[in-house]
Amino acid sequence: MEAPGELLKRAKRRHKRCCISTAVLAAIVVVLIIAIPCAVLLPKQKKPMHPATILLPLYIYPSSGRWEPLSAAVERYGDVNFTVIINPLSGPGNSATPGNEYPSAIRRLNSAPNVQTVGYVRTGYTDRNINDVVDDVATYSGWSKVDSGLSVSGIFFDETPHDFSRRKQQFLITANEAVKNATGLREPKLIIHNPGTIPDARLNDPLTDVTVVFESSFDQYQELEEDLQSLPGDRSSRSIMVHSLPSGKSVDSVLQSMSRTAQYLYLTTADQGYYEHFSDSWDKVVQIMGL
Ligand SMILES: *[C@@H]1O[C@H](CO)[C@@H](O)[C@H](O)[C@H]1NC(C)=O
Ligand SMILES: *[C@@H]1O[C@H](CO)[C@@H](O)[C@H](O)[C@H]1NC(C)=O
């Protein structure tokens, strides 16, 4: 026979065990109440991307339906915004308006509510004469005076410098002013600079709307991904362009990662002539941007 003291201790232990299992049970119920609705709701909540815009370098001559993959995507994915870089001749070319098949192809793009076109101007890392750069901007501005359907909404300055000098800084300021002064460009007269890498902060001019902080292969992107994601400031003023995406890689997760750093995105599996054809990944990229 046990002493009454022993019986009491055992009863207390039982009571304690019972309290613990009640607490564990309560915790499980709480977790389930939270987890079940989340598990049910989350898969439907397809918003992995931060809002993003496709920045498409369309360095393709618009003959025999070669812009068709773009037109088809623009119509099919009305929720996706496209900023399309028009580039007739490594710039606007020397005539008042671009030749032959360009005008009707540009008019068609400009008539879509989810497209804005910008004109390509090369700066050669400021080795080009600034007057030629300003003239190119004026040529794009002049398009709309010939035909309002041809007006572009901004300028993409390619090959801008990333290293600072007073001369380079002044070059970029003059180029930017030429855009904002141009009366033939449509609002917002978007100014995009493409140093292809993170530029010296002293080159950031308030008139520049968007800077391409990365333009290279997917392998390079993986190496710099963390640096890019820790950049201070606003993603809406940044662009990332990634080519040579290996075909086995998930377009979804790469775009998701890119959208954390930048609003203006381009991603392609093409590993040569990146911007001279539509790669197999084109439709998939547009589709994911619309999710
Ligand atoms: C697309 O552009 C329109 C008009 O500027 C804007 O209201 C909309 O939020 C944009 N959509 C995305 C996904 O950025
Ligand atoms: C732009 O306009 C401003 C104000 O009129 C003028 O000072 C500047 O020189 C112009 N720049 C260019 C490049 O057109």
Side-chain angles (χ1 to χ4, degrees), residues 109-140:
L109 282 183
N110 278 342
S111 67
N114 51 336
V115 172
Q116 68 177 349
T117 51
V118 296
Y120 177 98
V121 174
R122 197 175 58 81
T123 61
Y125 306 99
T126 72
D127 287 343
R128 237 187 130 198
N129 188 316
I130 183 64
N131 296 325
D132 294 339
V133 169
V134 170
D135 283 351
D136 277 357
V137 173
T139 302
Y140 284 112

PDB file of all heavy atoms in Angstrom, residues 109-140:
ATOM      1  N   LEU A 109       1.950  49.635 -83.068  1.00  0.00           N
ATOM      2  CA  LEU A 109       2.364  49.525 -81.661  1.00  0.00           C
ATOM      3  C   LEU A 109       1.828  50.693 -80.848  1.00  0.00           C
ATOM      4  O   LEU A 109       1.303  50.518 -79.750  1.00  0.00           O
ATOM      5  CB  LEU A 109       3.895  49.517 -81.550  1.00  0.00           C
ATOM      6  CG  LEU A 109       4.634  48.225 -81.866  1.00  0.00           C
ATOM      7  CD1 LEU A 109       6.125  48.436 -81.614  1.00  0.00           C
ATOM      8  CD2 LEU A 109       4.111  47.083 -80.996  1.00  0.00           C
ATOM      9  N   ASN A 110       1.982  51.903 -81.396  1.00  0.00           N
ATOM     10  CA  ASN A 110       1.565  53.103 -80.664  1.00  0.00           C
ATOM     11  C   ASN A 110       0.060  53.136 -80.384  1.00  0.00           C
ATOM     12  O   ASN A 110      -0.379  53.809 -79.460  1.00  0.00           O
ATOM     13  CB  ASN A 110       1.952  54.374 -81.439  1.00  0.00           C
ATOM     14  CG  ASN A 110       3.413  54.759 -81.203  1.00  0.00           C
ATOM     15  OD1 ASN A 110       4.040  54.302 -80.250  1.00  0.00           O
ATOM     16  ND2 ASN A 110       3.950  55.596 -82.076  1.00  0.00           N
ATOM     17  N   SER A 111      -0.697  52.400 -81.189  1.00  0.00           N
ATOM     18  CA  SER A 111      -2.144  52.449 -80.992  1.00  0.00           C
ATOM     19  C   SER A 111      -2.602  51.518 -79.863  1.00  0.00           C
ATOM     20  O   SER A 111      -3.749  51.577 -79.442  1.00  0.00           O
ATOM     21  CB  SER A 111      -2.869  52.079 -82.292  1.00  0.00           C
ATOM     22  OG  SER A 111      -2.626  50.716 -82.577  1.00  0.00           O
ATOM     23  N   ALA A 112      -1.696  50.675 -79.341  1.00  0.00           N
ATOM     24  CA  ALA A 112      -2.075  49.770 -78.244  1.00  0.00           C
ATOM     25  C   ALA A 112      -1.965  50.507 -76.907  1.00  0.00           C
ATOM     26  O   ALA A 112      -0.968  51.182 -76.652  1.00  0.00           O
ATOM     27  CB  ALA A 112      -1.164  48.542 -78.243  1.00  0.00           C
ATOM     28  N   PRO A 113      -2.987  50.396 -76.045  1.00  0.00           N
ATOM     29  CA  PRO A 113      -2.977  51.138 -74.776  1.00  0.00           C
ATOM     30  C   PRO A 113      -1.877  50.689 -73.821  1.00  0.00           C
ATOM     31  O   PRO A 113      -1.463  51.463 -72.952  1.00  0.00           O
ATOM     32  CB  PRO A 113      -4.359  50.862 -74.180  1.00  0.00           C
ATOM     33  CG  PRO A 113      -4.852  49.631 -74.862  1.00  0.00           C
ATOM     34  CD  PRO A 113      -4.221  49.608 -76.230  1.00  0.00           C
ATOM     35  N   ASN A 114      -1.386  49.452 -73.972  1.00  0.00           N
ATOM     36  CA  ASN A 114      -0.385  48.928 -73.031  1.00  0.00           C
ATOM     37  C   ASN A 114       1.040  48.975 -73.592  1.00  0.00           C
ATOM     38  O   ASN A 114       1.923  48.280 -73.106  1.00  0.00           O
ATOM     39  CB  ASN A 114      -0.743  47.489 -72.605  1.00  0.00           C
ATOM     40  CG  ASN A 114      -1.021  46.566 -73.783  1.00  0.00           C
ATOM     41  OD1 ASN A 114      -1.380  47.026 -74.863  1.00  0.00           O
ATOM     42  ND2 ASN A 114      -0.841  45.268 -73.578  1.00  0.00           N
ATOM     43  N   VAL A 115       1.253  49.818 -74.624  1.00  0.00           N
ATOM     44  CA  VAL A 115       2.595  49.959 -75.202  1.00  0.00           C
ATOM     45  C   VAL A 115       3.036  51.410 -75.147  1.00  0.00           C
ATOM     46  O   VAL A 115       2.250  52.314 -75.438  1.00  0.00           O
ATOM     47  CB  VAL A 115       2.618  49.510 -76.680  1.00  0.00           C
ATOM     48  CG1 VAL A 115       3.961  49.840 -77.329  1.00  0.00           C
ATOM     49  CG2 VAL A 115       2.330  48.020 -76.802  1.00  0.00           C
ATOM     50  N   GLN A 116       4.280  51.632 -74.751  1.00  0.00           N
ATOM     51  CA  GLN A 116       4.900  52.926 -75.043  1.00  0.00           C
ATOM     52  C   GLN A 116       6.206  52.651 -75.787  1.00  0.00           C
ATOM     53  O   GLN A 116       6.935  51.713 -75.474  1.00  0.00           O
ATOM     54  CB  GLN A 116       5.115  53.792 -73.788  1.00  0.00           C
ATOM     55  CG  GLN A 116       6.141  53.289 -72.810  1.00  0.00           C
ATOM     56  CD  GLN A 116       6.338  54.259 -71.633  1.00  0.00           C
ATOM     57  OE1 GLN A 116       5.860  55.386 -71.638  1.00  0.00           O
ATOM     58  NE2 GLN A 116       7.059  53.789 -70.631  1.00  0.00           N
ATOM     59  N   THR A 117       6.458  53.451 -76.826  1.00  0.00           N
ATOM     60  CA  THR A 117       7.676  53.259 -77.604  1.00  0.00           C
ATOM     61  C   THR A 117       8.699  54.326 -77.215  1.00  0.00           C
ATOM     62  O   THR A 117       8.349  55.455 -76.877  1.00  0.00           O
ATOM     63  CB  THR A 117       7.385  53.362 -79.111  1.00  0.00           C
ATOM     64  OG1 THR A 117       6.652  54.561 -79.368  1.00  0.00           O
ATOM     65  CG2 THR A 117       6.570  52.173 -79.601  1.00  0.00           C
ATOM     66  N   VAL A 118       9.972  53.935 -77.240  1.00  0.00           N
ATOM     67  CA  VAL A 118      11.062  54.883 -77.000  1.00  0.00           C
ATOM     68  C   VAL A 118      12.104  54.695 -78.110  1.00  0.00           C
ATOM     69  O   VAL A 118      12.249  53.589 -78.645  1.00  0.00           O
ATOM     70  CB  VAL A 118      11.724  54.691 -75.604  1.00  0.00           C
ATOM     71  CG1 VAL A 118      10.733  54.982 -74.484  1.00  0.00           C
ATOM     72  CG2 VAL A 118      12.309  53.298 -75.426  1.00  0.00           C
ATOM     73  N   GLY A 119      12.796  55.776 -78.462  1.00  0.00           N
ATOM     74  CA  GLY A 119      13.766  55.728 -79.549  1.00  0.00           C
ATOM     75  C   GLY A 119      15.165  55.407 -79.038  1.00  0.00           C
ATOM     76  O   GLY A 119      15.594  55.913 -77.999  1.00  0.00           O
ATOM     77  N   TYR A 120      15.866  54.585 -79.801  1.00  0.00           N
ATOM     78  CA  TYR A 120      17.237  54.185 -79.444  1.00  0.00           C
ATOM     79  C   TYR A 120      18.236  55.257 -79.886  1.00  0.00           C
ATOM     80  O   TYR A 120      18.261  55.671 -81.048  1.00  0.00           O
ATOM     81  CB  TYR A 120      17.566  52.865 -80.138  1.00  0.00           C
ATOM     82  CG  TYR A 120      18.983  52.371 -79.923  1.00  0.00           C
ATOM     83  CD1 TYR A 120      19.267  51.415 -78.950  1.00  0.00           C
ATOM     84  CD2 TYR A 120      20.033  52.847 -80.706  1.00  0.00           C
ATOM     85  CE1 TYR A 120      20.558  50.951 -78.760  1.00  0.00           C
ATOM     86  CE2 TYR A 120      21.338  52.394 -80.516  1.00  0.00           C
ATOM     87  CZ  TYR A 120      21.597  51.447 -79.542  1.00  0.00           C
ATOM     88  OH  TYR A 120      22.873  50.997 -79.354  1.00  0.00           O
ATOM     89  N   VAL A 121      19.085  55.697 -78.951  1.00  0.00           N
ATOM     90  CA  VAL A 121      20.183  56.621 -79.276  1.00  0.00           C
ATOM     91  C   VAL A 121      21.463  56.092 -78.632  1.00  0.00           C
ATOM     92  O   VAL A 121      21.505  55.844 -77.422  1.00  0.00           O
ATOM     93  CB  VAL A 121      19.899  58.059 -78.771  1.00  0.00           C
ATOM     94  CG1 VAL A 121      21.118  58.953 -78.989  1.00  0.00           C
ATOM     95  CG2 VAL A 121      18.680  58.660 -79.468  1.00  0.00           C
ATOM     96  N   ARG A 122      22.480  55.926 -79.458  1.00  0.00           N
ATOM     97  CA  ARG A 122      23.763  55.427 -78.960  1.00  0.00           C
ATOM     98  C   ARG A 122      24.601  56.598 -78.456  1.00  0.00           C
ATOM     99  O   ARG A 122      24.614  57.659 -79.085  1.00  0.00           O
ATOM    100  CB  ARG A 122      24.486  54.743 -80.124  1.00  0.00           C
ATOM    101  CG  ARG A 122      25.619  53.820 -79.785  1.00  0.00           C
ATOM    102  CD  ARG A 122      26.134  53.143 -81.050  1.00  0.00           C
ATOM    103  NE  ARG A 122      26.564  54.129 -82.048  1.00  0.00           N
ATOM    104  CZ  ARG A 122      27.748  54.739 -82.029  1.00  0.00           C
ATOM    105  NH1 ARG A 122      28.628  54.466 -81.094  1.00  0.00           N
ATOM    106  NH2 ARG A 122      28.056  55.623 -82.968  1.00  0.00           N
ATOM    107  N   THR A 123      25.265  56.424 -77.327  1.00  0.00           N
ATOM    108  CA  THR A 123      26.139  57.506 -76.849  1.00  0.00           C
ATOM    109  C   THR A 123      27.607  57.089 -76.874  1.00  0.00           C
ATOM    110  O   THR A 123      28.482  57.930 -76.679  1.00  0.00           O
ATOM    111  CB  THR A 123      25.776  57.943 -75.410  1.00  0.00           C
ATOM    112  OG1 THR A 123      25.936  56.838 -74.538  1.00  0.00           O
ATOM    113  CG2 THR A 123      24.347  58.450 -75.324  1.00  0.00           C
ATOM    114  N   GLY A 124      27.882  55.802 -77.124  1.00  0.00           N
ATOM    115  CA  GLY A 124      29.276  55.351 -77.211  1.00  0.00           C
ATOM    116  C   GLY A 124      30.084  55.690 -75.963  1.00  0.00           C
ATOM    117  O   GLY A 124      31.246  56.080 -76.069  1.00  0.00           O
ATOM    118  N   TYR A 125      29.476  55.557 -74.797  1.00  0.00           N
ATOM    119  CA  TYR A 125      30.153  55.856 -73.518  1.00  0.00           C
ATOM    120  C   TYR A 125      30.670  57.293 -73.485  1.00  0.00           C
ATOM    121  O   TYR A 125      31.707  57.572 -72.901  1.00  0.00           O
ATOM    122  CB  TYR A 125      31.264  54.825 -73.243  1.00  0.00           C
ATOM    123  CG  TYR A 125      30.733  53.408 -73.306  1.00  0.00           C
ATOM    124  CD1 TYR A 125      30.912  52.630 -74.451  1.00  0.00           C
ATOM    125  CD2 TYR A 125      29.979  52.878 -72.257  1.00  0.00           C
ATOM    126  CE1 TYR A 125      30.370  51.349 -74.531  1.00  0.00           C
ATOM    127  CE2 TYR A 125      29.431  51.608 -72.338  1.00  0.00           C
ATOM    128  CZ  TYR A 125      29.630  50.851 -73.475  1.00  0.00           C
ATOM    129  OH  TYR A 125      29.079  49.597 -73.563  1.00  0.00           O
ATOM    130  N   THR A 126      29.951  58.165 -74.180  1.00  0.00           N
ATOM    131  CA  THR A 126      30.226  59.611 -74.356  1.00  0.00           C
ATOM    132  C   THR A 126      31.356  59.878 -75.354  1.00  0.00           C
ATOM    133  O   THR A 126      31.800  61.017 -75.488  1.00  0.00           O
ATOM    134  CB  THR A 126      30.506  60.380 -73.031  1.00  0.00           C
ATOM    135  OG1 THR A 126      31.795  60.026 -72.524  1.00  0.00           O
ATOM    136  CG2 THR A 126      29.439  60.142 -71.982  1.00  0.00           C
ATOM    137  N   ASP A 127      31.812  58.859 -76.078  1.00  0.00           N
ATOM    138  CA  ASP A 127      32.803  59.101 -77.134  1.00  0.00           C
ATOM    139  C   ASP A 127      32.152  59.731 -78.363  1.00  0.00           C
ATOM    140  O   ASP A 127      32.822  60.347 -79.185  1.00  0.00           O
ATOM    141  CB  ASP A 127      33.495  57.799 -77.550  1.00  0.00           C
ATOM    142  CG  ASP A 127      34.467  57.323 -76.493  1.00  0.00           C
ATOM    143  OD1 ASP A 127      34.829  58.152 -75.617  1.00  0.00           O
ATOM    144  OD2 ASP A 127      34.853  56.136 -76.518  1.00  0.00           O
ATOM    145  N   ARG A 128      30.855  59.539 -78.503  1.00  0.00           N
ATOM    146  CA  ARG A 128      30.155  60.142 -79.630  1.00  0.00           C
ATOM    147  C   ARG A 128      30.045  61.647 -79.424  1.00  0.00           C
ATOM    148  O   ARG A 128      29.984  62.121 -78.278  1.00  0.00           O
ATOM    149  CB  ARG A 128      28.732  59.558 -79.708  1.00  0.00           C
ATOM    150  CG  ARG A 128      28.431  58.917 -81.030  1.00  0.00           C
ATOM    151  CD  ARG A 128      26.994  58.507 -81.116  1.00  0.00           C
ATOM    152  NE  ARG A 128      26.408  58.999 -82.353  1.00  0.00           N
ATOM    153  CZ  ARG A 128      25.126  59.114 -82.575  1.00  0.00           C
ATOM    154  NH1 ARG A 128      24.249  58.809 -81.639  1.00  0.00           N
ATOM    155  NH2 ARG A 128      24.697  59.574 -83.729  1.00  0.00           N
ATOM    156  N   ASN A 129      29.978  62.377 -80.533  1.00  0.00           N
ATOM    157  CA  ASN A 129      29.809  63.819 -80.442  1.00  0.00           C
ATOM    158  C   ASN A 129      28.428  64.137 -79.858  1.00  0.00           C
ATOM    159  O   ASN A 129      27.421  63.621 -80.342  1.00  0.00           O
ATOM    160  CB  ASN A 129      29.949  64.407 -81.861  1.00  0.00           C
ATOM    161  CG  ASN A 129      29.984  65.920 -81.831  1.00  0.00           C
ATOM    162  OD1 ASN A 129      29.213  66.570 -81.128  1.00  0.00           O
ATOM    163  ND2 ASN A 129      30.904  66.491 -82.607  1.00  0.00           N
ATOM    164  N   ILE A 130      28.385  64.977 -78.851  1.00  0.00           N
ATOM    165  CA  ILE A 130      27.109  65.286 -78.190  1.00  0.00           C
ATOM    166  C   ILE A 130      26.105  65.899 -79.177  1.00  0.00           C
ATOM    167  O   ILE A 130      24.896  65.670 -79.058  1.00  0.00           O
ATOM    168  CB  ILE A 130      27.323  66.206 -76.950  1.00  0.00           C
ATOM    169  CG1 ILE A 130      25.999  66.464 -76.207  1.00  0.00           C
ATOM    170  CG2 ILE A 130      27.969  67.518 -77.337  1.00  0.00           C
ATOM    171  CD1 ILE A 130      25.344  65.259 -75.596  1.00  0.00           C
ATOM    172  N   ASN A 131      26.617  66.648 -80.171  1.00  0.00           N
ATOM    173  CA  ASN A 131      25.695  67.245 -81.153  1.00  0.00           C
ATOM    174  C   ASN A 131      24.971  66.175 -81.971  1.00  0.00           C
ATOM    175  O   ASN A 131      23.795  66.339 -82.314  1.00  0.00           O
ATOM    176  CB  ASN A 131      26.449  68.186 -82.095  1.00  0.00           C
ATOM    177  CG  ASN A 131      27.033  69.368 -81.332  1.00  0.00           C
ATOM    178  OD1 ASN A 131      26.429  69.850 -80.366  1.00  0.00           O
ATOM    179  ND2 ASN A 131      28.229  69.807 -81.727  1.00  0.00           N
ATOM    180  N   ASP A 132      25.683  65.083 -82.269  1.00  0.00           N
ATOM    181  CA  ASP A 132      25.037  63.986 -83.008  1.00  0.00           C
ATOM    182  C   ASP A 132      23.960  63.312 -82.147  1.00  0.00           C
ATOM    183  O   ASP A 132      22.916  62.890 -82.648  1.00  0.00           O
ATOM    184  CB  ASP A 132      26.079  62.944 -83.437  1.00  0.00           C
ATOM    185  CG  ASP A 132      27.062  63.508 -84.467  1.00  0.00           C
ATOM    186  OD1 ASP A 132      26.710  64.517 -85.116  1.00  0.00           O
ATOM    187  OD2 ASP A 132      28.168  62.944 -84.597  1.00  0.00           O
ATOM    188  N   VAL A 133      24.249  63.226 -80.862  1.00  0.00           N
ATOM    189  CA  VAL A 133      23.280  62.630 -79.930  1.00  0.00           C
ATOM    190  C   VAL A 133      22.024  63.503 -79.860  1.00  0.00           C
ATOM    191  O   VAL A 133      20.893  63.022 -79.976  1.00  0.00           O
ATOM    192  CB  VAL A 133      23.931  62.459 -78.530  1.00  0.00           C
ATOM    193  CG1 VAL A 133      22.884  62.103 -77.476  1.00  0.00           C
ATOM    194  CG2 VAL A 133      25.025  61.404 -78.592  1.00  0.00           C
ATOM    195  N   VAL A 134      22.225  64.815 -79.722  1.00  0.00           N
ATOM    196  CA  VAL A 134      21.099  65.752 -79.663  1.00  0.00           C
ATOM    197  C   VAL A 134      20.318  65.735 -80.987  1.00  0.00           C
ATOM    198  O   VAL A 134      19.084  65.774 -80.995  1.00  0.00           O
ATOM    199  CB  VAL A 134      21.606  67.172 -79.304  1.00  0.00           C
ATOM    200  CG1 VAL A 134      20.503  68.220 -79.477  1.00  0.00           C
ATOM    201  CG2 VAL A 134      22.146  67.187 -77.876  1.00  0.00           C
ATOM    202  N   ASP A 135      21.051  65.605 -82.099  1.00  0.00           N
ATOM    203  CA  ASP A 135      20.387  65.519 -83.419  1.00  0.00           C
ATOM    204  C   ASP A 135      19.511  64.266 -83.519  1.00  0.00           C
ATOM    205  O   ASP A 135      18.421  64.306 -84.099  1.00  0.00           O
ATOM    206  CB  ASP A 135      21.428  65.472 -84.551  1.00  0.00           C
ATOM    207  CG  ASP A 135      22.030  66.845 -84.825  1.00  0.00           C
ATOM    208  OD1 ASP A 135      21.512  67.839 -84.271  1.00  0.00           O
ATOM    209  OD2 ASP A 135      23.021  66.908 -85.591  1.00  0.00           O
ATOM    210  N   ASP A 136      19.999  63.143 -82.992  1.00  0.00           N
ATOM    211  CA  ASP A 136      19.200  61.915 -83.021  1.00  0.00           C
ATOM    212  C   ASP A 136      17.897  62.092 -82.241  1.00  0.00           C
ATOM    213  O   ASP A 136      16.829  61.667 -82.685  1.00  0.00           O
ATOM    214  CB  ASP A 136      19.988  60.737 -82.413  1.00  0.00           C
ATOM    215  CG  ASP A 136      20.931  60.086 -83.416  1.00  0.00           C
ATOM    216  OD1 ASP A 136      20.933  60.505 -84.592  1.00  0.00           O
ATOM    217  OD2 ASP A 136      21.665  59.155 -83.013  1.00  0.00           O
ATOM    218  N   VAL A 137      18.006  62.743 -81.093  1.00  0.00           N
ATOM    219  CA  VAL A 137      16.794  63.004 -80.296  1.00  0.00           C
ATOM    220  C   VAL A 137      15.834  63.869 -81.110  1.00  0.00           C
ATOM    221  O   VAL A 137      14.627  63.600 -81.167  1.00  0.00           O
ATOM    222  CB  VAL A 137      17.156  63.685 -78.956  1.00  0.00           C
ATOM    223  CG1 VAL A 137      15.894  64.109 -78.204  1.00  0.00           C
ATOM    224  CG2 VAL A 137      18.016  62.758 -78.099  1.00  0.00           C
ATOM    225  N   ALA A 138      16.387  64.886 -81.799  1.00  0.00           N
ATOM    226  CA  ALA A 138      15.551  65.779 -82.609  1.00  0.00           C
ATOM    227  C   ALA A 138      14.894  65.028 -83.766  1.00  0.00           C
ATOM    228  O   ALA A 138      13.750  65.330 -84.130  1.00  0.00           O
ATOM    229  CB  ALA A 138      16.391  66.943 -83.132  1.00  0.00           C
ATOM    230  N   THR A 139      15.606  64.058 -84.320  1.00  0.00           N
ATOM    231  CA  THR A 139      15.017  63.272 -85.417  1.00  0.00           C
ATOM    232  C   THR A 139      13.801  62.487 -84.921  1.00  0.00           C
ATOM    233  O   THR A 139      12.740  62.507 -85.553  1.00  0.00           O
ATOM    234  CB  THR A 139      16.070  62.314 -86.020  1.00  0.00           C
ATOM    235  OG1 THR A 139      17.175  63.085 -86.489  1.00  0.00           O
ATOM    236  CG2 THR A 139      15.482  61.508 -87.174  1.00  0.00           C
ATOM    237  N   TYR A 140      13.945  61.820 -83.770  1.00  0.00           N
ATOM    238  CA  TYR A 140      12.774  61.104 -83.214  1.00  0.00           C
ATOM    239  C   TYR A 140      11.633  62.083 -82.946  1.00  0.00           C
ATOM    240  O   TYR A 140      10.464  61.800 -83.225  1.00  0.00           O
ATOM    241  CB  TYR A 140      13.141  60.379 -81.915  1.00  0.00           C
ATOM    242  CG  TYR A 140      13.946  59.109 -82.106  1.00  0.00           C
ATOM    243  CD1 TYR A 140      15.272  59.020 -81.694  1.00  0.00           C
ATOM    244  CD2 TYR A 140      13.363  57.987 -82.697  1.00  0.00           C
ATOM    245  CE1 TYR A 140      16.001  57.851 -81.857  1.00  0.00           C
ATOM    246  CE2 TYR A 140      14.086  56.817 -82.868  1.00  0.00           C
ATOM    247  CZ  TYR A 140      15.410  56.750 -82.444  1.00  0.00           C
ATOM    248  OH  TYR A 140      16.121  55.592 -82.617  1.00  0.00           O
TER     249      TYR A 140
END
